[in-house]
Amino acid sequence: MAVFDFSDVSYQKEQPECTYTVFRSDESIASPENPIMILDNSKCQWKHHSNGVFTNPSRKTTFEFDEENGKVSANILQIDARFVSLLKWLGENHINVRLSGQNREDGYAVYKIREIAYGGGTKLSAEDGFLQFMIERLLSSNAPTEAIEDEDQEEMGDDMKLTSLQSIKDFLNCAGRTLPDNIRLWARRNLAVAQSHEVTPEERRHAQRALSIMLNIQWRNNYFQAIDPQEARRILDEELYGMEKVKQRIIETIIQINRTHTLPAYGLLLVGPAGTGKSQVAYAVARILKLPWATLDMSSINDPEQLTGSSRIYSNAKPGIIMEAFANAGESNLVFIINELDKAASGKGNGNPADVLLTLLDNLGFTDNYIECMIPTSGVYPIATANDKANISAPLMSRFAVIDIPDYTPEEKKIIFSRYALPKVLKRMGLREEECVVEEDGLNAVIEQFANTTGIRDLEQAAEHLAANALYQIEVDHVSSVAFDAEGVKELFG
């Protein structure tokens, strides 16, 4: 009987063939001019919308078009570096897709990929919504600095949230090195915990929740586009009257960002009496920088754990307020508005909550006790407000550039009341300007009435009182208009 010895049979495993080259792009919108990838069209001019499937990349990097005469393959010639992992994942899972592209001299430029439903075909974790989420996230990310293995960005997925383990796993497989390295590795470890049956259900739940929080945040780099100083000035003039020195200081900050494309090393501390518009300045800066903003009221914080979160060893553990601010903003670059910084005080003997802010303000990274991962903070611009800087610790003061917000002069208050406060209230109440008139001596009486108060909040309340009284007389007494002189103002305000 013949005996066959297979040990001598030469066998060489077929190596996968890569047909494409990688190009790096930071374009946030895909188009025929800035495509996701380019396919070979030398043998056939492909249709604008073409259906098919990416082949398993373990064999060859091609796309199989569904044509009337059967399947026709086309090699992938070029691909955006951010999409390499997504392409690999689509091929491995045999996802049926529709490409939108345009034939060019160098190939078929694909600028849109949508999932299509084929009978019994494999679907993504959230059907087409997940694919569009991934494409948009990848488009809004920066090109990796090294060869791609994974990706992470979206296209029409603003309403998409990563909550299920399947969607989280799919996202990590597609996101790869578009995530910061420490967050990517952290996510892999937590995914292993969330899927493990060797830990308690409570540990799995906390791991999944932490993953959902972290991966729904868009982790951006700290490069900031130039800002138009004239537009910045227009926004400041729209929000604030006067305060020329304050506006000048903010414009200087804008010029600095335009030169360095990074945020200043120090945040802003706005110090001044109540009602002088400190918060308005902070919101105006957020508008100018075109960043989301989050607010933190330090007067309501009496325990550092409220800021840093609680450890997962507790069943009712949750992230801290700072981490929730990142989650609500949806991205790592934001304006962090810290109100009443001078009113932060220790409450339960666990330290001063204000001191927790030091790591956030140093832009070296922040660690939440629940998340247990270093959060990059180089894209966070802190703006704090305070009434008395004498109550702020020296270490905190050293992290800010201080801007003193002066109180308004009587003449400035008159202009703010007549040009801004009263017209705004009349518009809100549906009154015409001629229906509620404050005469010159009446205006002087209003300013005199609130001469001992700071800011303009009392003036806005006075405008509300005057307009409400005018509306009452028009509706009840059936007068056509109401004019307030000095005597009428004094009588109304007692």
Side-chain angles (χ1 to χ4, degrees):
M1 177 189 237
V3 178
F4 296 95
D5 183 2
F6 290 98
S7 62
D8 292 332
V9 176
S10 61
Y11 173 76
Q12 183 177 4
K13 183 178 179 181
E14 183 180 353
Q15 294 297 316
E17 180 183 351
C18 180
T19 65
Y20 61 77
T21 58
V22 172
F23 64 90
R24 284 169 170 74
S25 171
D26 288 327
E27 294 290 339
S28 60
I29 299 176
S31 66
E33 293 74 30
N34 300 297
I36 295 172
M37 65 183 70
I38 297 177
L39 305 183
D40 185 7
N41 65 349
S42 59
K43 296 181 180 178
C44 180
Q45 296 289 294
W46 308 113
K47 300 174 184 176
H48 179 207
H49 299 299
S50 301
N51 297 342
V53 63
F54 290 100
T55 60
N56 192 325
S58 64
R59 299 196 302 269
K60 192 175 183 179
T61 49
T62 61
F63 184 81
E64 292 185 347
F65 289 89
D66 290 328
E67 297 292 300
E68 294 179 357
N69 56 348
K71 293 186 178 294
V72 182
S73 296
N75 290 339
I76 301 172
L77 303 180
Q78 297 182 50
I79 185 169
D80 186 326
R82 298 170 292 181
F83 288 83
V84 173
S85 294
L86 179 62
L87 169 68
K88 179 173 179 284
W89 186 75
L90 288 171
E92 289 175 343
N93 290 278
H94 309 289
I95 304 299
N96 295 299
V97 296
R98 182 184 67 194
L99 306 182
S100 296
Q102 179 175 302
N103 287 290
R104 309 189 315 193
E105 290 186 3
D106 58 343
Y108 179 67
V110 177
Y111 60 91
K112 186 178 291 186
I113 306 173
R114 303 299 299 254
E115 182 186 6
I116 57 176
Y118 268 175
T122 302
K123 299 291 287 184
L124 302 184
S125 56
E127 298 186 349
D128 189 51
F130 178 80
L131 179 57
Q132 299 315 305
F133 174 81
M134 283 307 312
I135 291 175
E136 188 173 330
R137 289 291 295 269
L138 291 170
L139 284 170
S140 61
S141 68
N142 300 100
T145 56
E146 54 187 82
I148 320 306
E149 250 180 282
D150 290 336
E151 328 242 35
D152 148 40
Q153 294 293 304
E154 43 182 313
E155 189 194 80
M156 288 173 57
D158 287 346
D159 296 330
M160 173 76 184
K161 294 294 181 183
L162 300 169
T163 54
S164 70
L165 279 180
Q166 184 60 53
S167 63
I168 289 171
K169 182 179 179 181
D170 289 343
F171 180 84
L172 287 176
N173 286 335
C174 297
R177 296 191 181 276
T178 59
L179 285 170
D181 286 343
N182 70 310
I183 293 177
R184 178 171 51 85
L185 297 174
W186 170 91
R188 294 291 184 188
R189 289 195 298 268
N190 277 266
L191 181 60
V193 173
Q195 293 178 316
S196 173
H197 294 289
E198 298 179 0
V199 299
T200 65
E202 200 67 41
E203 289 177 284
R204 294 199 297 270
R205 182 178 67 84
H206 283 315
Q208 183 173 345
R209 183 185 181 190
L211 281 165
S212 180
I213 292 171
M214 288 287 281
L215 298 184
N216 277 297
I217 297 172
Q218 175 64 60
W219 299 102
R220 301 186 183 279
N221 63 17
N222 60 350
Y223 180 92
F224 290 85
Q225 298 291 339
I227 302 162
D228 184 359
Q230 293 184 344
E231 175 65 11
R233 177 70 196 209
R234 185 194 67 77
I235 292 174
L236 291 172
D237 289 340
E238 182 181 289
E239 295 289 343
L240 304 163
Y241 177 79
M243 295 191 183
E244 290 303 318
K245 290 185 177 179
V246 176
K247 293 176 181 177
Q248 174 68 22
R249 183 66 182 85
I250 294 172
I251 295 298
E252 290 171 1
T253 300
I254 301 306
I255 299 297
Q256 179 181 342
I257 293 173
N258 286 352
R259 172 63 67 90
T260 64
H261 296 289
T262 58
L263 294 175
Y266 300 95
L268 297 178
L269 174 57
L270 310 172
V271 182
T276 50
K278 298 185 294 296
S279 295
Q280 287 297 104
V281 173
Y283 299 140
V285 173
R287 280 184 61 192
I288 291 169
L289 296 179
K290 298 178 182 178
L291 291 176
W293 50 267
T295 59
L296 173 63
D297 186 357
M298 293 302 294
S299 63
S300 64
I301 306 297
N302 55 20
D303 188 345
E305 192 175 274
Q306 290 176 261
L307 300 176
T308 59
S310 47
S311 173
R312 294 190 209 173
I313 62 174
Y314 304 108
S315 60
N316 61 344
K318 63 178 183 178
I321 294 175
I322 293 176
M323 192 65 229
E324 288 179 349
F326 282 102
N328 292 334
E331 64 173 85
S332 58
N333 292 354
L334 74 157
V335 173
F336 207 92
I337 302 172
I338 308 168
N339 289 319
E340 312 287 359
L341 184 62
D342 54 332
K343 293 181 175 60
S346 58
K348 298 181 180 178
N350 295 330
N352 190 336
D355 292 338
V356 174
L357 298 174
L358 293 177
T359 55
L360 179 72
L361 299 174
D362 282 336
N363 282 339
L364 299 177
F366 176 82
T367 301
D368 183 275
N369 292 333
Y370 183 84
I371 300 297
E372 299 177 343
C373 179
M374 181 68 76
I375 309 298
T377 56
S378 57
V380 176
Y381 193 49
I383 304 178
T385 68
N387 299 130
D388 185 3
K389 58 186 174 184
N391 294 330
I392 303 174
S393 67
L396 270 179
M397 284 288 293
S398 67
R399 266 74 173 181
F400 288 102
V402 180
I403 299 180
D404 291 311
I405 308 292
D407 195 9
Y408 294 99
T409 65
E411 191 61 33
E412 288 176 329
K413 289 183 177 181
K414 286 176 64 176
I415 295 174
I416 291 172
F417 181 87
S418 58
R419 292 185 187 177
Y420 302 101
L422 185 60
K424 181 174 68 174
V425 171
L426 295 178
K427 182 179 180 180
R428 186 170 69 246
M429 291 190 177
L431 287 169
R432 298 189 302 274
E433 289 187 9
E434 60 269 20
E435 290 180 310
C436 178
V437 178
V438 181
E439 297 176 354
E440 184 66 25
D441 60 338
L443 179 58
N444 292 330
V446 171
I447 302 304
E448 184 181 346
Q449 182 77 20
F450 300 100
N452 295 325
T453 62
T454 61
I456 58 172
R457 287 178 186 156
D458 290 315
L459 294 181
E460 292 175 344
Q461 293 175 11
E464 187 94 20
H465 196 173
L466 289 166
N469 184 266
L471 182 60
Y472 172 84
Q473 294 187 51
I474 291 171
E475 294 294 328
V476 176
D477 298 335
H478 305 291
V479 299
S480 59
S481 64
V482 179
F484 293 96
D485 56 12
E487 183 178 347
V489 168
K490 293 177 181 178
E491 181 181 350
L492 183 63
F493 289 103

